[in-house]
Amino acid sequence: MSSHVKTNLSVNHTTTSTPIPEYNNNYYAILDSGASHHFLLEDAPTKAKTADHTQKEVKLPDGTIINSSHKCKLDLQNIPKEASDGYILPDMKNHSLLSVTHLCKAGCQVQFTGHTCIVTYKGKEVMRGQRSRINGLWLVPRTSHR
């Protein structure tokens, strides 16, 4: 039986309601410093997807509450095992969210510059993204495979 864990999702509402047209939503995720966990679209590429998990309850900025349906592993190479767990939110729209907090707790470092963000682990680059021209959010590859 699943239990619930409540989370407030402190991202701009455009994250869940307005697509970023210059990018493929399933290939890119938003690198989010306010997300407590990695939250993924229902059709995002993942590994080891299971419905047997402690359900996450997420409160969006507009007050809407959505729940996770599955726990999964990110389809990203070279990130630490401790940073690979994510949760599928079937009611989330348009973009997955990768948690800066979750990455840093696992030993990654995240650097933001004017137009680029770089995630490193043990001194080695594991992810690189860019700032959206549309809304200024940081976009990173959601999978190691295109």
Side-chain angles (χ1 to χ4, degrees):
M1 180 179 257
S2 294
S3 60
H4 290 276
V5 174
K6 293 183 180 185
T7 301
N8 283 321
L9 193 58
S10 60
V11 296
N12 184 309
H13 189 60
T14 59
T15 301
T16 57
S17 62
T18 306
I20 301 173
E22 77 246 46
Y23 301 106
N24 176 322
N25 295 351
N26 271 339
Y27 182 73
Y28 286 98
I30 295 170
L31 190 59
D32 188 350
S33 61
S36 59
H37 295 85
H38 304 308
F39 295 117
L40 308 169
L41 297 176
E42 189 169 28
D43 58 353
T46 61
K47 300 178 189 177
K49 187 174 169 181
T50 179
D52 184 22
H53 73 293
T54 300
Q55 191 176 45
K56 302 293 181 190
E57 184 177 273
V58 177
K59 184 176 182 181
L60 300 177
D62 69 356
T64 303
I65 295 176
I66 58 177
N67 295 295
S68 64
S69 62
H70 293 80
K71 185 174 183 177
C72 62
K73 298 287 184 188
L74 298 180
D75 187 18
L76 289 170
Q77 297 173 355
N78 303 320
I79 64 167
K81 181 181 174 184
E82 301 82 18
S84 67
D85 289 341
Y87 296 90
I88 306 292
L89 296 176
D91 294 326
M92 189 162 71
K93 309 288 186 237
N94 300 316
H95 284 87
S96 296
L97 304 176
L98 296 186
S99 169
V100 171
T101 301
H102 200 57
L103 289 166
C104 290
K105 281 183 179 178
C108 292
Q109 292 183 332
V110 182
Q111 177 186 10
F112 297 94
T113 65
H115 300 286
T116 305
C117 58
I118 301 168
V119 179
T120 58
Y121 180 63
K122 295 185 176 179
K124 193 174 185 183
E125 184 176 308
V126 295
M127 191 183 320
R128 177 182 289 260
Q130 61 187 340
R131 196 170 194 178
S132 167
R133 296 182 309 266
I134 304 298
N135 61 18
L137 297 174
W138 297 97
L139 300 171
V140 293
R142 203 356 249 120
T143 179
S144 296
H145 314 284
R146 205 166 198 194

